[in-house]
Amino acid sequence: MAERGGIFAGDDPFVIARDWLAEAEKSEPNDPNAIALSTVDADGLPNARMVLLKDIEDDAFVFYTNYGSVKARELDHAGKAAFVMHWKSLRRQIRVRGVIAREDGSQADAYYASRSLKSRLGAWASHQSQPLASRAALMAEVAKVTAAHGANPSRPPFWGGYRIRPTEIEFWADGAFRLHDRFRWTRTENGDSWSVIRLNP
């Protein structure tokens, strides 16, 4: 393994990622858990958008979305994705590439239940990524689902999570004169041991 110390020290990349995110939560003014998620469509054309990372597990990264959205369709089709987290306040970033699996069980139920009522109703009302006639039409749909589902709506069957199990994680920190520090962790598949190398800036 590459010789590492300071903010890069440790034998578990998920622990390092959680430590960096915890630091960012103290200094980043908005959404320190935001990630730029990249997918590809059926023709191989890349797509990217910001989503909120909701959990760093012992072996995966988890976020949630509408399963009818463009991102979900692309995730399901390709079975792979990548993302980057960047914190300007810390001058650091984490890049991740890996395989995708849905999280649509009890963990998704628990996260959905933890959201505000308006967010839960919004998940029912939004046909994410589909054409929308007007803002008024969206608000009418919110009123409709509020009447139908009340004050404690269950998780919609078309809404849940995705778990990215990485085969590659790169930790990057800004260095003087653009001489950045970069360490790339790789493994062939989930459960394998990690190999770590230092990269040129």
PDB file of all heavy atoms in Angstrom, residues 4-11 16 20 171-173 181-183 185 198:
ATOM      1  N   ARG A   4       0.782   6.606   3.501  1.00  0.00           N
ATOM      2  CA  ARG A   4      -0.180   7.688   3.683  1.00  0.00           C
ATOM      3  C   ARG A   4      -0.184   8.145   5.134  1.00  0.00           C
ATOM      4  O   ARG A   4       0.106   7.377   6.040  1.00  0.00           O
ATOM      5  CB  ARG A   4      -1.595   7.221   3.313  1.00  0.00           C
ATOM      6  CG  ARG A   4      -1.781   6.949   1.838  1.00  0.00           C
ATOM      7  CD  ARG A   4      -3.127   6.278   1.529  1.00  0.00           C
ATOM      8  NE  ARG A   4      -3.152   4.897   1.992  1.00  0.00           N
ATOM      9  CZ  ARG A   4      -3.861   4.461   3.023  1.00  0.00           C
ATOM     10  NH1 ARG A   4      -4.617   5.301   3.707  1.00  0.00           N
ATOM     11  NH2 ARG A   4      -3.835   3.192   3.377  1.00  0.00           N
ATOM     12  N   GLY A   5      -0.531   9.380   5.355  1.00  0.00           N
ATOM     13  CA  GLY A   5      -0.636   9.907   6.703  1.00  0.00           C
ATOM     14  C   GLY A   5      -1.611  11.063   6.735  1.00  0.00           C
ATOM     15  O   GLY A   5      -2.230  11.411   5.717  1.00  0.00           O
ATOM     16  N   GLY A   6      -1.772  11.681   7.893  1.00  0.00           N
ATOM     17  CA  GLY A   6      -2.650  12.826   8.031  1.00  0.00           C
ATOM     18  C   GLY A   6      -4.088  12.504   7.653  1.00  0.00           C
ATOM     19  O   GLY A   6      -4.644  11.491   8.085  1.00  0.00           O
ATOM     20  N   ILE A   7      -4.691  13.325   6.818  1.00  0.00           N
ATOM     21  CA  ILE A   7      -6.098  13.142   6.448  1.00  0.00           C
ATOM     22  C   ILE A   7      -6.318  11.905   5.590  1.00  0.00           C
ATOM     23  O   ILE A   7      -7.458  11.473   5.400  1.00  0.00           O
ATOM     24  CB  ILE A   7      -6.652  14.383   5.725  1.00  0.00           C
ATOM     25  CG1 ILE A   7      -5.885  14.654   4.425  1.00  0.00           C
ATOM     26  CG2 ILE A   7      -6.646  15.599   6.635  1.00  0.00           C
ATOM     27  CD1 ILE A   7      -6.499  15.754   3.562  1.00  0.00           C
ATOM     28  N   PHE A   8      -5.252  11.334   5.048  1.00  0.00           N
ATOM     29  CA  PHE A   8      -5.357  10.143   4.199  1.00  0.00           C
ATOM     30  C   PHE A   8      -5.111   8.843   4.980  1.00  0.00           C
ATOM     31  O   PHE A   8      -5.180   7.758   4.407  1.00  0.00           O
ATOM     32  CB  PHE A   8      -4.353  10.213   3.045  1.00  0.00           C
ATOM     33  CG  PHE A   8      -4.595  11.342   2.099  1.00  0.00           C
ATOM     34  CD1 PHE A   8      -3.880  12.530   2.200  1.00  0.00           C
ATOM     35  CD2 PHE A   8      -5.535  11.236   1.086  1.00  0.00           C
ATOM     36  CE1 PHE A   8      -4.098  13.574   1.312  1.00  0.00           C
ATOM     37  CE2 PHE A   8      -5.763  12.277   0.192  1.00  0.00           C
ATOM     38  CZ  PHE A   8      -5.039  13.450   0.310  1.00  0.00           C
ATOM     39  N   ALA A   9      -4.788   8.934   6.255  1.00  0.00           N
ATOM     40  CA  ALA A   9      -4.406   7.759   7.038  1.00  0.00           C
ATOM     41  C   ALA A   9      -5.593   6.841   7.283  1.00  0.00           C
ATOM     42  O   ALA A   9      -6.736   7.288   7.420  1.00  0.00           O
ATOM     43  CB  ALA A   9      -3.796   8.193   8.367  1.00  0.00           C
ATOM     44  N   GLY A  10      -5.312   5.546   7.345  1.00  0.00           N
ATOM     45  CA  GLY A  10      -6.335   4.565   7.673  1.00  0.00           C
ATOM     46  C   GLY A  10      -6.378   3.433   6.674  1.00  0.00           C
ATOM     47  O   GLY A  10      -5.900   3.556   5.542  1.00  0.00           O
ATOM     48  N   ASP A  11      -6.977   2.324   7.092  1.00  0.00           N
ATOM     49  CA  ASP A  11      -7.056   1.134   6.258  1.00  0.00           C
ATOM     50  C   ASP A  11      -8.449   0.906   5.678  1.00  0.00           C
ATOM     51  O   ASP A  11      -8.671  -0.092   4.989  1.00  0.00           O
ATOM     52  CB  ASP A  11      -6.653  -0.106   7.074  1.00  0.00           C
ATOM     53  CG  ASP A  11      -5.207  -0.033   7.531  1.00  0.00           C
ATOM     54  OD1 ASP A  11      -4.371   0.493   6.761  1.00  0.00           O
ATOM     55  OD2 ASP A  11      -4.920  -0.472   8.661  1.00  0.00           O
ATOM     56  N   ILE A  16     -12.528   6.875   6.178  1.00  0.00           N
ATOM     57  CA  ILE A  16     -11.933   8.146   5.725  1.00  0.00           C
ATOM     58  C   ILE A  16     -13.016   9.033   5.128  1.00  0.00           C
ATOM     59  O   ILE A  16     -13.090  10.238   5.429  1.00  0.00           O
ATOM     60  CB  ILE A  16     -10.805   7.889   4.712  1.00  0.00           C
ATOM     61  CG1 ILE A  16      -9.667   7.084   5.352  1.00  0.00           C
ATOM     62  CG2 ILE A  16     -10.267   9.213   4.158  1.00  0.00           C
ATOM     63  CD1 ILE A  16      -8.616   6.594   4.365  1.00  0.00           C
ATOM     64  N   TRP A  20     -14.112  12.756   6.426  1.00  0.00           N
ATOM     65  CA  TRP A  20     -14.078  13.956   5.584  1.00  0.00           C
ATOM     66  C   TRP A  20     -15.454  14.624   5.535  1.00  0.00           C
ATOM     67  O   TRP A  20     -15.555  15.849   5.601  1.00  0.00           O
ATOM     68  CB  TRP A  20     -13.604  13.602   4.172  1.00  0.00           C
ATOM     69  CG  TRP A  20     -12.125  13.361   4.060  1.00  0.00           C
ATOM     70  CD1 TRP A  20     -11.275  12.952   5.037  1.00  0.00           C
ATOM     71  CD2 TRP A  20     -11.329  13.518   2.882  1.00  0.00           C
ATOM     72  NE1 TRP A  20      -9.986  12.838   4.540  1.00  0.00           N
ATOM     73  CE2 TRP A  20      -9.996  13.173   3.228  1.00  0.00           C
ATOM     74  CE3 TRP A  20     -11.610  13.890   1.575  1.00  0.00           C
ATOM     75  CZ2 TRP A  20      -8.951  13.217   2.299  1.00  0.00           C
ATOM     76  CZ3 TRP A  20     -10.570  13.927   0.643  1.00  0.00           C
ATOM     77  CH2 TRP A  20      -9.257  13.600   1.006  1.00  0.00           C
ATOM     78  N   PHE A 171      -9.293   9.758  -3.217  1.00  0.00           N
ATOM     79  CA  PHE A 171      -9.282  10.887  -2.286  1.00  0.00           C
ATOM     80  C   PHE A 171      -8.289  11.920  -2.800  1.00  0.00           C
ATOM     81  O   PHE A 171      -7.139  11.574  -3.093  1.00  0.00           O
ATOM     82  CB  PHE A 171      -8.883  10.424  -0.886  1.00  0.00           C
ATOM     83  CG  PHE A 171      -9.879   9.483  -0.261  1.00  0.00           C
ATOM     84  CD1 PHE A 171      -9.734   8.111  -0.404  1.00  0.00           C
ATOM     85  CD2 PHE A 171     -10.950   9.963   0.473  1.00  0.00           C
ATOM     86  CE1 PHE A 171     -10.647   7.232   0.168  1.00  0.00           C
ATOM     87  CE2 PHE A 171     -11.867   9.101   1.049  1.00  0.00           C
ATOM     88  CZ  PHE A 171     -11.718   7.733   0.896  1.00  0.00           C
ATOM     89  N   TRP A 172      -8.738  13.171  -2.898  1.00  0.00           N
ATOM     90  CA  TRP A 172      -7.943  14.260  -3.475  1.00  0.00           C
ATOM     91  C   TRP A 172      -7.941  15.437  -2.515  1.00  0.00           C
ATOM     92  O   TRP A 172      -8.991  15.802  -1.963  1.00  0.00           O
ATOM     93  CB  TRP A 172      -8.565  14.666  -4.808  1.00  0.00           C
ATOM     94  CG  TRP A 172      -7.948  15.824  -5.542  1.00  0.00           C
ATOM     95  CD1 TRP A 172      -7.098  15.763  -6.592  1.00  0.00           C
ATOM     96  CD2 TRP A 172      -8.206  17.230  -5.319  1.00  0.00           C
ATOM     97  NE1 TRP A 172      -6.791  17.028  -7.039  1.00  0.00           N
ATOM     98  CE2 TRP A 172      -7.453  17.953  -6.278  1.00  0.00           C
ATOM     99  CE3 TRP A 172      -8.984  17.943  -4.407  1.00  0.00           C
ATOM    100  CZ2 TRP A 172      -7.465  19.345  -6.345  1.00  0.00           C
ATOM    101  CZ3 TRP A 172      -8.991  19.343  -4.464  1.00  0.00           C
ATOM    102  CH2 TRP A 172      -8.228  20.015  -5.429  1.00  0.00           C
ATOM    103  N   ALA A 173      -6.775  16.027  -2.290  1.00  0.00           N
ATOM    104  CA  ALA A 173      -6.668  17.239  -1.477  1.00  0.00           C
ATOM    105  C   ALA A 173      -5.776  18.246  -2.185  1.00  0.00           C
ATOM    106  O   ALA A 173      -4.731  17.884  -2.741  1.00  0.00           O
ATOM    107  CB  ALA A 173      -6.113  16.920  -0.091  1.00  0.00           C
ATOM    108  N   ASP A 181      -2.428  16.188  -3.596  1.00  0.00           N
ATOM    109  CA  ASP A 181      -2.270  14.821  -3.095  1.00  0.00           C
ATOM    110  C   ASP A 181      -3.464  14.000  -3.547  1.00  0.00           C
ATOM    111  O   ASP A 181      -4.617  14.400  -3.337  1.00  0.00           O
ATOM    112  CB  ASP A 181      -2.185  14.805  -1.566  1.00  0.00           C
ATOM    113  CG  ASP A 181      -0.869  15.344  -1.059  1.00  0.00           C
ATOM    114  OD1 ASP A 181       0.181  14.848  -1.514  1.00  0.00           O
ATOM    115  OD2 ASP A 181      -0.884  16.257  -0.218  1.00  0.00           O
ATOM    116  N   ARG A 182      -3.168  12.832  -4.158  1.00  0.00           N
ATOM    117  CA  ARG A 182      -4.223  11.947  -4.668  1.00  0.00           C
ATOM    118  C   ARG A 182      -3.872  10.501  -4.336  1.00  0.00           C
ATOM    119  O   ARG A 182      -2.761  10.054  -4.601  1.00  0.00           O
ATOM    120  CB  ARG A 182      -4.366  12.074  -6.193  1.00  0.00           C
ATOM    121  CG  ARG A 182      -4.768  13.437  -6.684  1.00  0.00           C
ATOM    122  CD  ARG A 182      -4.697  13.498  -8.207  1.00  0.00           C
ATOM    123  NE  ARG A 182      -5.624  12.560  -8.853  1.00  0.00           N
ATOM    124  CZ  ARG A 182      -5.650  12.337 -10.159  1.00  0.00           C
ATOM    125  NH1 ARG A 182      -4.789  12.946 -10.963  1.00  0.00           N
ATOM    126  NH2 ARG A 182      -6.523  11.486 -10.671  1.00  0.00           N
ATOM    127  N   PHE A 183      -4.843   9.800  -3.771  1.00  0.00           N
ATOM    128  CA  PHE A 183      -4.690   8.372  -3.499  1.00  0.00           C
ATOM    129  C   PHE A 183      -5.901   7.634  -4.060  1.00  0.00           C
ATOM    130  O   PHE A 183      -7.041   7.987  -3.748  1.00  0.00           O
ATOM    131  CB  PHE A 183      -4.573   8.103  -1.993  1.00  0.00           C
ATOM    132  CG  PHE A 183      -3.279   8.585  -1.397  1.00  0.00           C
ATOM    133  CD1 PHE A 183      -3.181   9.862  -0.856  1.00  0.00           C
ATOM    134  CD2 PHE A 183      -2.159   7.766  -1.394  1.00  0.00           C
ATOM    135  CE1 PHE A 183      -1.989  10.312  -0.306  1.00  0.00           C
ATOM    136  CE2 PHE A 183      -0.964   8.214  -0.838  1.00  0.00           C
ATOM    137  CZ  PHE A 183      -0.875   9.491  -0.301  1.00  0.00           C
ATOM    138  N   TRP A 185      -7.916   4.101  -4.353  1.00  0.00           N
ATOM    139  CA  TRP A 185      -8.183   2.775  -3.807  1.00  0.00           C
ATOM    140  C   TRP A 185      -8.941   1.984  -4.869  1.00  0.00           C
ATOM    141  O   TRP A 185      -9.945   2.470  -5.416  1.00  0.00           O
ATOM    142  CB  TRP A 185      -9.064   2.875  -2.559  1.00  0.00           C
ATOM    143  CG  TRP A 185      -8.468   3.626  -1.396  1.00  0.00           C
ATOM    144  CD1 TRP A 185      -8.079   4.941  -1.369  1.00  0.00           C
ATOM    145  CD2 TRP A 185      -8.224   3.120  -0.085  1.00  0.00           C
ATOM    146  NE1 TRP A 185      -7.608   5.273  -0.138  1.00  0.00           N
ATOM    147  CE2 TRP A 185      -7.689   4.177   0.680  1.00  0.00           C
ATOM    148  CE3 TRP A 185      -8.422   1.887   0.511  1.00  0.00           C
ATOM    149  CZ2 TRP A 185      -7.343   4.020   2.019  1.00  0.00           C
ATOM    150  CZ3 TRP A 185      -8.089   1.724   1.846  1.00  0.00           C
ATOM    151  CH2 TRP A 185      -7.549   2.783   2.583  1.00  0.00           C
ATOM    152  N   ARG A 198      -0.575   6.059  -4.866  1.00  0.00           N
ATOM    153  CA  ARG A 198      -0.538   7.525  -4.967  1.00  0.00           C
ATOM    154  C   ARG A 198      -0.491   7.888  -6.448  1.00  0.00           C
ATOM    155  O   ARG A 198       0.214   7.257  -7.239  1.00  0.00           O
ATOM    156  CB  ARG A 198       0.681   8.093  -4.241  1.00  0.00           C
ATOM    157  CG  ARG A 198       0.795   9.610  -4.361  1.00  0.00           C
ATOM    158  CD  ARG A 198       2.096  10.124  -3.749  1.00  0.00           C
ATOM    159  NE  ARG A 198       2.019  10.300  -2.323  1.00  0.00           N
ATOM    160  CZ  ARG A 198       1.573  11.414  -1.727  1.00  0.00           C
ATOM    161  NH1 ARG A 198       1.162  12.439  -2.456  1.00  0.00           N
ATOM    162  NH2 ARG A 198       1.553  11.500  -0.411  1.00  0.00           N
TER     163      ARG A 198
END
